[in-house]
Amino acid sequence: MSAAVLSVRKLSVFLRDGRAEHKVVDGVSFDLAAGEVLALVGESGCGKSKTAEAIMGLLPVGPARLEADEIRLGDVDLARLGAEAMRRVRGRDLSMVFQEPMTALDPVFRVGSQLTAPFRRHQGQSRREASNSAKAMLRRLGMPDPDRVMRRYPHELSGGMRQRVLLAMAMACRPQVLIADEPTTALDVTTQAQVLEDLVRLGQEAGTAVLLITHDLGVVAHYADRALVMQRGRIVEEAGVGDLFQAPTHDYSRALIAAARGLSG
């Protein structure tokens, strides 16, 4: 395996509810290599999204607290960065695709102004250069009329088109790591497959490592190289995808796989 571009060591997340504090992510550690697709899989509420938010520096200030030995992206420990430094990293070296594009995209701005923003902010491109770069990204994602898409507001696009716009924004600067948090939850089966194919393809072309968060073992089997199985905030198994499905070692992994096979059968 290639050297790790993202190394997470003993990451824990605590959420405060009134006077009580609950540990929702408990000592998570893993490495992610360049060009790899690593799935983080588990049932809803197990801590997958909070792990992603912690890595991205997007935990809610106040209710949430992070502890980690390190969250190392290349030579930078994200766990030690201030808010401003983290904003410079997000979108340039570390990007995220969220599960609901209607909340991730600003409804009051046209798609073009949002899609050109990372090119202008992180690459210093002029308005015209950024517009051309944005249209080129949309073409790579199979959008037949990028000019028309750029003029639209998010609500005027289908769910699949909105998710491709988010993917284009996330990949604009060819980040080292892309986190995709249940990126196809709200889409029909055909569109899900198309978006996931685009996501993996763009990641491979750019050498971007992908952390794919999902509860869908079918997605894991088809698109991931390795998998981390999470239960109640802890990683209970780490394995290559073939090994995971052929010979899972943890009872929870076996239960997830049995349930998925039962649904598919």
Side-chain angles (χ1 to χ4, degrees):
M1 185 187 300
S2 303
V5 293
L6 178 68
S7 294
V8 176
R9 294 291 178 269
K10 296 184 179 179
L11 167 64
S12 294
V13 176
F14 302 82
L15 290 183
R16 181 167 293 281
D17 180 12
R19 294 185 178 180
E21 190 174 62
H22 307 280
K23 185 185 285 188
V24 296
V25 177
D26 189 359
V28 166
S29 298
F30 65 88
D31 291 324
L32 180 57
E36 180 184 28
V37 179
L38 175 63
L40 179 58
V41 61
E43 61 193 352
S44 296
C46 71
K48 304 186 302 295
S49 292
K50 284 292 176 276
T51 300
E53 290 172 17
I55 295 169
M56 292 292 299
L58 294 174
L59 289 170
V61 178
R65 180 170 65 86
L66 177 152
E67 290 182 359
D69 283 2
E70 68 173 11
I71 305 172
R72 187 163 295 279
L73 180 66
D75 296 328
V76 178
D77 187 355
L78 305 180
R80 309 291 177 257
L81 289 186
E84 182 58 37
M86 193 67 204
R87 276 192 289 271
R88 290 194 294 269
V89 170
R90 275 197 305 267
R92 183 189 66 194
D93 304 308
L94 178 66
S95 291
M96 188 166 177
V97 176
F98 299 87
Q99 60 180 284
E100 181 41 68
M102 274 308 287
T103 56
L105 291 169
D106 193 321
V108 302
F109 291 101
R110 296 182 193 272
V111 167
S113 66
Q114 299 183 64
L115 185 48
T116 56
F119 293 103
R120 302 193 70 189
R121 180 184 308 120
H122 296 298
Q123 297 189 16
Q125 294 187 3
S126 68
R127 190 182 301 275
R128 176 174 292 183
E129 289 170 337
S131 179
N132 290 335
S133 296
K135 291 173 189 176
M137 282 295 298
L138 292 178
R139 291 189 191 98
R140 290 174 64 192
L141 288 166
M143 299 282 199
D145 191 351
D147 288 289
R148 178 176 175 274
V149 173
M150 298 268 284
R151 291 193 299 268
R152 298 297 185 190
Y153 289 94
H155 73 270
E156 297 178 297
L157 302 180
S158 68
M161 292 177 75
R162 289 194 294 267
Q163 199 60 287
R164 287 187 180 90
V165 168
L166 280 182
L167 180 55
M169 292 170 63
M171 290 299 297
C173 299
R174 301 171 70 92
Q176 296 180 62
V177 173
L178 172 68
I179 300 176
D181 186 5
E182 301 277 9
T184 59
T185 297
L187 306 178
D188 63 74
V189 174
T190 301
T191 307
Q192 284 181 19
Q194 292 170 345
V195 169
L196 287 167
E197 292 285 353
D198 287 336
L199 187 154
V200 172
R201 174 176 55 84
L202 288 184
Q204 289 174 341
E205 290 173 359
T208 296
V210 177
L211 179 61
L212 178 59
I213 296 173
T214 183
H215 66 278
D216 189 334
L217 285 173
V219 169
V220 176
H222 195 76
Y223 297 101
D225 302 305
R226 287 191 301 128
L228 305 169
V229 180
M230 178 174 267
Q231 181 186 30
R232 297 175 184 171
R234 295 184 177 182
I235 302 299
V236 297
E237 184 163 357
E238 177 178 351
V241 166
D243 292 335
L244 177 67
F245 283 92
Q246 292 171 19
T249 60
H250 195 276
D251 288 344
Y252 181 66
S253 303
R254 288 192 284 269
L256 285 178
I257 292 168
R261 287 173 175 161
L263 287 172
S264 64

